[in-house]
Amino acid sequence: MNAENTFTMMGITAQWDDDSIIISEDGYPRKAVLNNDGKILSSTFGAEGESFLRHWFMRVKPTVDGLRAIDREYANA
């Protein structure tokens, strides 16, 4: 993943590329990979973390989509 495609909010880091979003909790070894539809592809959050991941995905997805659009716009300029 490109380090430029990263932001941290409230101790949770989101990192993305064209196909996936990685969510990790700062200071803990938990990490999850979700596809663009929010499906959990892999996770170390455990079953109890699934509702958190769904919630967080819904919070970050609009921001990630907006940043992806800006990247595409500059790439096509």
Side-chain angles (χ1 to χ4, degrees), residues 7-75:
F7 71 86
T8 301
M9 180 171 57
M10 297 170 43
I12 305 297
T13 297
Q15 190 173 20
W16 65 93
D17 59 19
D18 291 338
D19 303 314
S20 61
I21 298 173
I22 296 174
I23 297 172
S24 57
E25 188 174 9
D26 297 352
Y28 296 91
R30 294 187 275 263
K31 180 171 143 180
V33 179
L34 293 85
N35 70 9
N36 286 324
D37 297 320
K39 180 180 178 188
I40 299 169
L41 304 176
S42 66
S43 173
T44 58
F45 280 82
E48 63 279 356
E50 288 182 19
S51 64
F52 164 77
L53 291 171
R54 284 187 192 73
H55 168 78
W56 201 256
F57 176 82
M58 298 304 290
R59 286 189 75 165
V60 301
K61 180 74 162 104
T63 301
V64 168
D65 285 345
L67 293 169
R68 284 175 173 159
I70 291 168
D71 286 346
R72 282 190 298 278
E73 185 176 321
Y74 280 103

